[in-house]
Amino acid sequence: MITLRSALLLSACFCSTPLYADDIFVITHQQSSFAKLTPKLIENIFLKKTLLNDTGNTWIPLNLDPNHPIRIAFSLALFKKKPEDLEAYWNEQYFQGITPPYVVASEDAMLRFVSTTQNAIGYALPCHITDQVHVIFKVNSPLSLKQFCQKNL
Amino acid sequence: MMLNFLVILLFELGSINHCAAKEAPSPVLSPHYQWGRGITWQAINLNLGGYFNAAYEHPQQFKENISLNDLSLFFTWSPHQRLRFFAEIEAENWLSTQGIDSLDNSLSTERLYLDILTSPASTLRLGKFLTPIGRWNLTHVSPLIWTTSRPLVTERRLFTSHVNGAMFTHRVDFNDHTLGVAFYLDESATLDAFDNQLGFENGVGSRITLDVNDHVQIGTSWLNFKNKSFAQKSSNQLLGIDLLWKKNNYELEFEAIYRTSEDNQGTEHGLYLQGVVPLMNDFFAISRYEYVNGTHRYLPTTTHIGVTGLAWKPFTPLIIKAEYLFGDNNQFVAPTGLFTSVSMFF
């Protein structure tokens, strides 16, 4: 219920969303206390520039496959780059011993992992969100994703 | 004995993490390999990887040489939320057409450090790590750079490429900018377990970077140091500025360094400016201009260098390069010639 209310509040905050845009929700564990995450912080978490959260635990960012339409939309929305355009960045990070976020096989796997793992952070379409996760941010997708609500990819 | 201990320790840590993660449908808990990202064992936060670089070099008036320049292994392990251990072991110039060196001579510990994450934006690093001066020295590894040759102003004769000591880094985000500050202390005289004769005696330095936006980063570096190899251990001062602009696969990189010296290493200053232009089919054209004035490798010189070449990146971890280096007064410090290489993260 709290999660649903958070989602509605977030939607209200983003009432200036263009009509063509779809949304992607950034999600964490249901009991997480991260109420305020800025877009820059979310970007830093998924780029693994920020490894620790405020409670002193390690963030566990999750990604979908680089060819997944929701991953592409999320990457374009957050980094203004396609997943493959970040490969040069991840090459540099690999040299520093930092590897990209874990890749899960589907949105369903993302939701299950986030709902059972403290400090995990992922993303999913609003139509697939369950009350097992906590919505902390809404990203406006530059791509239309409505057709992917038909089934959980 | 030590190996047995490590195996048991890894097994135990793996078991603990498996138990903790039983409720969660973890993406992949068993070890898995990804080309260019190494073997990752997420259950115990461990990654093993590395890279190699093989080169064909034909400087004029010197013998041509084919060599396995670098074979490096990376080891990353996070035994705790706030701790990250990293090691890079390298076999340098091990195999070449000019002879096969013994593995003992070739092996070196490139980096060996522990990162303590003191806050979400701050890290304390202890151990042996790359000297944070300019961009090139921090990303000098062959799969990350566009040319086989290295700019003179980033060479270890101008400043030692590694620090043995401690470094504190902090990052501040404001608006769309990121400010990064690093402050470090070197005490190689007592801490350098590998006794690098070209290393620092001791030193203190800092580096500040500003990500102006997604495309532009500027940086400044400062270092006060003494060299181990000189009997008269006088203080050296080094100042550097650098700039990186990247957009749509176009790239412009600039570094300038000024070093004063009271010992016989001499005063030196120089710069390089390198441009990268994407062509078709993952080919890139590269051009670089370099200028060095002062005492380089103990020789007074005023050198101008040009480098022009091609790089092909058919896959993310792989890069194949060919370039021609030429110049004025360059024969002793960077001979004219053809340089090619193949590098890959594995």
Side-chain angles (χ1 to χ4, degrees), chain A residues 40 44 49-53 56-58 87 90-92 94-100 102-104 112-113 116-117, chain B residues 24-27 36-38 42 47 49-50 76 81-82 84 111 117 120 135 138 141 144 171 173 178 316 345-346:
Chain A
K40 187 68 182 173
N44 284 343
K49 288 181 180 176
T50 297
L51 299 172
L52 278 187
N53 60 33
N57 293 305
T58 311
E87 288 300 320
W90 288 116
N91 271 350
E92 283 193 20
Y94 179 55
F95 181 55
Q96 307 299 333
I98 294 173
T99 48
Y102 305 154
V103 172
V104 290
R112 278 189 290 125
F113 189 88
T116 51
T117 313
Chain B
S26 177
R37 302 285 178 254
Q42 286 164 4
N47 180 272
T76 312
Q81 308 264 13
R82 288 179 180 269
R84 275 185 64 245
R111 293 176 288 166
L117 307 178
R135 277 189 54 82
L138 294 171
V141 63
L144 292 180
R171 198 189 64 244
D173 294 314
T178 300
T316 299
F345 281 125
F346 52 79

Side-chain angles (χ1 to χ4, degrees), chain B residues 23-278:
Chain B
E23 292 171 40
S26 177
V28 189
L29 277 174
S30 55
H32 72 283
Y33 175 77
Q34 185 187 349
W35 183 27
R37 302 285 178 254
I39 298 172
T40 303
W41 193 356
Q42 286 164 4
I44 55 169
N45 297 315
L46 188 145
N47 180 272
L48 283 172
Y51 77 96
F52 76 83
N53 178 51
Y56 166 78
E57 298 171 312
H58 191 189
Q60 283 176 8
Q61 299 165 15
F62 290 92
K63 272 180 85 172
E64 60 187 351
N65 187 34
I66 300 171
S67 63
L68 179 64
N69 278 8
D70 303 304
L71 177 62
S72 263
L73 294 177
F74 306 152
F75 175 89
T76 312
W77 182 39
S78 294
H80 182 270
Q81 308 264 13
R82 288 179 180 269
L83 299 178
R84 275 185 64 245
F85 174 79
F86 180 82
E88 181 188 359
I89 310 296
E90 181 175 284
E92 194 173 7
N93 296 323
W94 178 27
L95 307 172
S96 86
T97 49
Q98 294 182 357
I100 299 172
D101 204 352
S102 72
L103 203 53
D104 274 357
N105 281 344
S106 308
L107 274 183
S108 64
T109 306
E110 268 287 294
R111 293 176 288 166
L112 182 71
Y113 57 76
L114 178 72
D115 276 348
I116 303 167
L117 307 178
T118 52
S119 81
S122 306
T123 303
L124 177 66
R125 178 167 293 180
L126 305 170
K128 181 181 182 183
F129 48 89
L130 294 169
T131 311
I133 291 175
R135 277 189 54 82
W136 197 287
N137 194 53
L138 294 171
T139 57
H140 71 273
V141 63
S142 48
L144 292 180
I145 55 175
W146 291 105
T147 58
T148 304
S149 58
R150 181 173 178 146
L152 288 177
V153 291
T154 70
E155 276 192 346
R156 64 170 61 179
R157 299 287 178 175
L158 213 136
F159 62 89
T160 298
S161 54
H162 294 85
V163 168
N164 291 280
M167 176 166 72
F168 179 75
T169 57
H170 186 72
R171 198 189 64 244
V172 181
D173 294 314
F174 59 101
N175 301 329
D176 278 341
H177 317 303
T178 300
L179 182 73
V181 180
F183 180 78
Y184 56 98
L185 295 164
D186 176 273
E187 188 48 51
S188 294
T190 49
L191 296 175
D192 184 7
F194 309 102
D195 197 23
N196 175 12
Q197 288 307 314
L198 291 174
F200 294 126
E201 175 81 9
N202 53 48
V204 52
S206 69
R207 174 163 169 78
I208 299 170
T209 56
L210 176 67
D211 293 346
V212 179
N213 54 41
D214 284 346
H215 311 295
V216 179
Q217 185 190 67
I218 53 177
T220 62
S221 309
W222 164 78
L223 174 64
N224 178 293
F225 65 103
K226 291 177 183 171
N227 282 310
K228 187 184 282 186
S229 54
F230 294 101
Q232 179 202 344
K233 299 191 191 312
S234 304
S235 188
N236 296 270
Q237 298 280 346
L238 186 147
L239 291 170
I241 54 168
D242 54 277
L243 170 95
L244 176 71
W245 172 83
K246 276 171 117 169
K247 193 170 186 182
N248 300 332
N249 289 328
Y250 288 86
E251 199 175 303
L252 201 61
E253 190 169 354
F254 168 80
E255 280 188 41
I257 281 177
Y258 176 75
R259 187 203 62 203
T260 63
S261 174
E262 291 168 14
D263 57 33
N264 57 345
Q265 192 178 24
T267 297
E268 186 173 358
H269 66 275
L271 58 85
Y272 76 85
L273 177 67
Q274 177 176 281
V276 178
V277 174

